[in-house]
């Protein structure tokens, strides 16, 4: 029997036992065959950690490894609980009225889907018990399942199925057409009135379906009133979704009409442009909902689905076989992109409209200027946000002027062992360095980004926010492990090579320590390396 220590990294184990790579792939560790992932994440990921992330039973893993001639050594990890709950609530004959009853029943339906039950069978029971459902109730049920131990990966995999289950039943859909005309004329004053009403109603339980429907109607009105403001971030995102829906329809028509390969690729590239839209959500919306308001559902589920859609589209563009399997995959990813439009309109945007303050929307508007136009949509100017930004800039300039006036000539310099510079000189120096620089302090809080154009966007709203919230769920475990290794002195740096927007990038994480070795934080340096490739290619000619 070959000894296999579960405390060792996946990379080290595969290096010692090359046959383990295919065994792990067959068990569900599909990313193990990606060389970049194995040589980066694989160096800090153990089999038990990976199993927990993927929702794969350790019992199945150990059984398979044993049958393949391996002997497990070291401490045995505890298995992931199956979390089987009593589903008696599903057989209740009465329509659930209380928030607790509705939530418990929704979780039962979602679990039944997770166990592989046919969606139409679950839908039949759902329709019998619910005349309609609040989109935020669906999100709450998903969040509680995660908190109770259901692997996030399982919720993510079923995200589209959940959406299909509730299609046509959310209150947003039922009232959207009737409210559309009135919503379009709603202005800032009405927004504040709705927000006050929502805040009042949200403080106590709602005992009737009518009250719940009124609350949901107000949320939809609030979201649509923001969408009606030219230049508002929700208005821009909605217009992008409208064009995406048209491009998806055109792509489906091209497939149905068996268009030429060139036409198919052109239309599919047009759909794939949605990656910019997804990047904005991932940088500007999901983290803010999670960190500021404790609403983790979108960041745990939607964010990962966005990444999966984007990655699948990229893979299909790179591998254009135009066979039946390729067309099946294209059709499937178009369905997922369509579903995401629905989720944004009926879940994400109303939640953001209810929670984000006007000043926060101003900040999102400002940060969104760093992103390229998406779907051919050019963002409108939002005069209120522009005026707010100008006012904030003027106030900052005035405060700096006053500070410089009252400071002595020697006090406006930063004195260091290597010399002394003014704040202005230090700022310009850091901005001149041909790297994207981030500093995260010892409490894992983003403290500094240098200025300038960046391939890896860093919104100003992320300053003073925990660094982990700025990364997609599939990347977060790696970032946590790297920082903990720095903190504990296990390593001092960790390089990752990535391809982004056709460019080769070196992302280097480094521990920042004082002269005595005390951990002060983590620095991230991003450098485009195409210049080096071109240099050595020319040298070798």
């Amino acid at each position: 029997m070959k000894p296999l220590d579960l405390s060792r990294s996946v990379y080290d184990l595969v290096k010692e036992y090359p046959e383990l790579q295919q065994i792990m792939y067959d068990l569900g560790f599909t990313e193990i065959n990606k060389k970049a992932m194995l040589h980066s994440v694989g160096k800090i990921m153990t089999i038990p950690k990976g199993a927990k992330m993927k929702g794969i039973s350790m019992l199945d893993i150990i059984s398979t490894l044993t049958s393949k001639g391996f002997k497990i050594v070291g401490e045995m990890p505890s298995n992931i609980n199956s979390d089987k709950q009593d589903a008696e609530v599903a057989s209740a004959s009465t329509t659930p009225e209380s928030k607790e009853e509705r939530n418990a029943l929704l979780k039962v339906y979602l679990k039944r889907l997770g166990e592989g039950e046919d969606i139409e069978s679950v839908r039949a029971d759902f329709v019998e018990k619910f005349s309609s459902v609040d989109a935020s109730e669906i999100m709450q049920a998903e969040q509680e399942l995660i908190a109770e131990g259901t692997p996030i990966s399982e919720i993510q995999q079923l995200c589209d199925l959940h959406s299909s289950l509730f299609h046509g039943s959310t209150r947003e859909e039922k009232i959207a057409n009737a409210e559309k005309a009135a919503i379009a004329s709603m202005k800032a004053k009405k927004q504040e009135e709705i927000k006050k009403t929502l805040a009042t109603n949200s403080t106590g339980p709602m005992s009737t379906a009518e009250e719940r429907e009124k609350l949901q109607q107000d949320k939809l009105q609030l979201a649509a009133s923001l969408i009606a403001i030219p230049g508002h971030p929700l208005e821009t995102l909605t217009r992008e979704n409208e064009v995406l829906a048209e491009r998806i329809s055109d792509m489906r028509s091209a497939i149905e009409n068996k268009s030429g390969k060139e036409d198919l690729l052109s239309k599919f590239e047009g759909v794939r442009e949605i990656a910019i839209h997804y990047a904005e959500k991932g940088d500007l919306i999901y983290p803010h909902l999670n960190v500021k308001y404790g609403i983790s559902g979108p960041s745990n589920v939607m964010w990962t689905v966005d990444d999966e859609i984007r990655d699948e589209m990229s893979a299909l563009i790179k591998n254009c076989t135009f066979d039946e399997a390729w067309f099946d995959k294209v059709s499937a990813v178009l369905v997922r992109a369509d579903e995401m439009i629905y989720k944004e309109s009926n879940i994400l945007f109303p939640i953001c409209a209810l929670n984000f303050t006007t000043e926060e929307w101003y900040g999102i508007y400002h940060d969104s200027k760093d992103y390229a136009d998406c779907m051919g949509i050019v963002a409108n100017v939002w005069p209120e946000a522009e005026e707010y930004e100008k006012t904030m800039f003027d106030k900052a300039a005035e405060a700096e002027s006053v500070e410089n006036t009252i400071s002595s000539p020697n006090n406006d310099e930063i004195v260091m062992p290597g010399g002394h510079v003014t704040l202005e000189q230090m700022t310009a120096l850091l901005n001149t360095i041909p790297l994207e620089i981030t500093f995260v302090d010892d409490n894992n809080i983003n403290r500094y980004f240098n200025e300038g154009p960046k391939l890896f966007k860093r919104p100003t709203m992320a300053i003073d926010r925990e660094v982990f919230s700025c990364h997609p769920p599939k990347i977060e475990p790696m970032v946590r492990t790297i920082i903990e290794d720095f903190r504990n002195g296990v390593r001092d740096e960790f390089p990752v090579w990535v391809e982004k927007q056709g460019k080769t990038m070196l992302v280097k994480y480094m521990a920042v320590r004082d002269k005595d070795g005390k951990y002060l934080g983590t620095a991230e340096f991003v450098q485009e390396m195409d210049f080096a490739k071109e240099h050595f290619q020319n040298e070798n000619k």
Side-chain angles (χ1 to χ4, degrees):
M1 300 283 285
K2 293 169 284 190
L4 190 148
D5 188 347
L6 294 177
S7 66
R8 295 176 63 192
S9 72
V10 172
Y11 174 83
D12 287 341
L13 291 174
V14 168
K15 188 174 181 181
E16 182 174 358
Y17 305 117
E19 69 273 22
L20 185 62
Q21 185 167 351
Q22 185 60 43
I23 296 172
M24 299 303 296
Y25 179 87
D26 293 339
L27 281 165
F29 294 83
T30 53
E31 293 183 339
I32 199 170
N33 280 352
K34 297 179 181 178
K35 185 176 179 181
M37 293 295 287
L38 179 61
H39 285 251
S40 57
V41 179
K43 291 182 178 181
I44 58 176
M45 184 65 64
T46 63
I47 290 177
K49 286 182 181 178
K52 188 171 183 180
M53 287 175 56
K54 288 281 190 179
I56 302 172
S57 168
M58 280 302 302
L59 185 61
D60 292 342
I61 293 173
I62 292 172
S63 174
T64 299
L65 292 175
T66 302
S67 70
K68 298 293 185 180
F70 290 94
K71 177 182 179 181
I72 307 301
V73 300
E75 184 177 353
M76 190 73 68
S78 58
N79 195 13
I80 300 173
N81 294 327
S82 61
D83 193 28
K84 293 182 179 178
Q85 289 189 341
D86 186 7
E88 290 182 359
V89 65
S91 63
S93 58
T94 58
T95 301
E97 279 296 330
S98 72
K99 180 180 178 181
E100 290 75 15
E101 289 174 337
R102 292 171 65 85
N103 190 56
L105 193 51
L106 287 174
K107 287 197 291 184
V108 168
Y109 294 143
L110 298 181
K111 283 191 174 184
R112 286 168 59 184
L113 289 177
E115 292 166 359
E117 186 172 341
D118 180 69
I119 186 171
E120 294 306 323
S121 173
V122 180
R123 194 198 306 277
D125 290 343
F126 166 75
V127 172
E128 181 183 351
K129 297 292 191 299
F130 289 84
S131 60
S132 62
V133 64
D134 187 324
S136 61
E137 290 180 289
I138 304 169
M139 185 191 69
Q140 180 65 29
E142 290 179 339
Q143 285 188 205
E144 290 193 13
L145 285 175
I146 293 171
E148 292 168 5
T150 302
I152 292 177
S153 57
E154 181 178 321
I155 300 294
Q156 292 163 350
Q157 290 167 5
L158 294 172
C159 182
D160 297 334
L161 204 55
H162 296 174
S163 177
S164 298
L165 173 64
F166 301 115
H167 250 325
S169 299
T170 59
R171 297 190 183 95
E172 293 93 338
E173 293 173 287
K174 291 189 173 186
I175 66 176
N177 291 333
E179 296 298 328
K180 189 173 182 180
I183 288 168
S185 63
M186 204 172 292
K187 298 299 181 181
K189 182 177 180 181
K190 184 62 178 175
Q191 294 169 19
E192 294 306 317
E193 290 176 0
I194 293 173
K195 216 157 194 176
K196 288 179 181 178
T197 302
L198 289 168
T200 301
N201 290 344
S202 299
T203 57
M206 291 180 291
S207 58
T208 68
E210 289 80 7
E211 288 175 328
R212 285 193 296 271
E213 183 140 346
K214 176 61 170 63
L215 178 59
Q216 192 58 36
Q217 182 176 354
D218 286 345
K219 277 202 290 188
L220 181 65
Q221 288 180 335
L222 180 58
S225 69
L226 298 181
I227 292 171
I229 300 173
H232 190 284
L234 287 187
E235 184 254 356
T236 305
L237 292 171
T238 299
R239 287 199 291 138
E240 291 171 355
N241 274 340
E242 290 170 352
V243 176
L244 173 63
E246 293 175 0
R247 292 188 181 184
I248 289 175
S249 178
D250 288 346
M251 182 64 187
R252 284 173 172 154
S253 296
I255 293 174
E256 185 177 346
N257 297 329
K258 298 181 179 179
S259 297
K261 295 179 180 180
E262 186 175 335
D263 184 50
L264 282 167
L265 281 180
S266 175
K267 284 182 167 54
F268 197 28
E269 283 284 11
V271 172
R272 193 167 73 106
E273 207 174 305
I274 198 59
I276 301 171
H277 178 100
Y278 290 167
E280 288 191 65
K281 286 194 298 173
D283 293 340
L284 307 179
I285 292 180
Y286 294 143
H288 194 60
L289 266 180
N290 187 11
V291 175
K292 180 69 181 291
Y293 298 100
I295 300 175
S296 59
S299 63
N300 283 336
V301 181
M302 288 187 188
W303 200 349
T304 296
V305 174
D306 287 348
D307 285 348
E308 290 173 351
I309 293 171
R310 182 193 60 208
D311 293 346
E312 179 68 5
M313 287 184 178
S314 296
L316 289 168
I317 288 289
K318 291 178 181 177
N319 186 27
C320 302
T321 58
F322 296 105
D323 56 13
E324 185 176 349
W326 187 83
F327 281 111
D328 286 344
K329 290 179 180 180
V330 169
S331 297
V333 80
L334 292 178
V335 170
R336 300 195 79 189
D338 233 349
E339 286 292 334
M340 186 53 68
I341 296 174
Y342 167 84
K343 293 167 194 169
E344 289 180 20
S345 299
N346 292 281
I347 299 177
L348 182 63
F349 293 171
I351 291 171
C352 292
L354 173 61
N355 289 281
F356 291 178
T357 67
T358 302
E359 288 74 19
E360 288 167 346
W361 283 122
Y362 290 160
I364 292 172
Y365 169 82
H366 170 75
D367 286 334
S368 66
K369 294 179 181 181
D370 289 337
Y371 296 81
D373 294 337
C374 176
M375 296 286 150
I377 296 298
V378 178
N380 291 312
V381 174
W382 187 10
E384 293 177 23
E386 293 287 343
E387 182 61 29
Y388 177 82
E389 187 176 331
K390 181 178 181 301
T391 301
M392 292 297 100
F393 178 82
D394 290 344
K395 287 183 178 179
E398 182 180 350
E400 183 178 353
S401 176
V402 171
E403 183 177 347
N404 289 340
T405 300
I406 63 176
S407 299
S408 66
N410 294 329
N411 287 339
D412 66 351
E413 288 194 328
I414 302 170
V415 180
M416 298 169 286
H420 52 92
V421 292
T422 65
L423 178 60
E424 180 184 24
Q425 291 169 338
M426 176 61 79
T427 302
L429 173 61
L430 291 171
N431 290 339
T432 302
I433 296 174
L435 300 170
E436 297 176 19
I437 303 173
T438 298
F439 175 68
V440 180
D441 71 12
D442 59 338
N443 291 315
N444 305 327
I445 303 298
N446 292 321
R447 292 302 182 195
Y448 173 78
F449 308 139
N450 65 339
E451 300 170 290
K454 297 178 176 66
L455 279 179
F456 291 82
K457 305 301 183 185
R458 281 131 173 115
T460 56
M461 293 181 69
I463 293 295
D464 296 332
R465 181 189 291 165
E466 190 178 53
V467 63
F468 307 125
S469 68
C470 302
H471 292 82
K474 69 177 182 180
I475 300 298
E476 181 185 335
M478 182 184 77
V479 178
R480 286 186 179 274
T481 301
I482 291 171
I483 290 180
E484 282 307 303
D485 282 354
F486 288 169
R487 189 188 309 279
N488 297 324
V490 175
R491 68 178 80 229
D492 291 317
E493 62 179 59
F494 187 82
V496 179
W497 290 84
V498 297
E499 294 288 332
K500 190 173 180 67
Q501 297 182 18
K503 300 179 183 296
T504 301
M505 310 293 292
L506 171 59
V507 182
K508 197 165 189 178
Y509 301 92
M510 301 188 70
V512 179
R513 309 185 192 279
D514 66 13
K515 61 182 180 180
D516 297 321
K518 177 185 175 182
Y519 175 74
L520 300 179
T522 294
E524 178 192 56
F525 303 101
V526 179
Q527 184 173 17
E528 181 184 332
M529 299 302 293
D530 283 347
F531 76 93
K533 288 170 57 177
E534 293 172 2
H535 170 75
F536 287 110
Q537 286 171 354
N538 292 333
E539 284 287 311
N540 293 330
K541 286 183 179 179

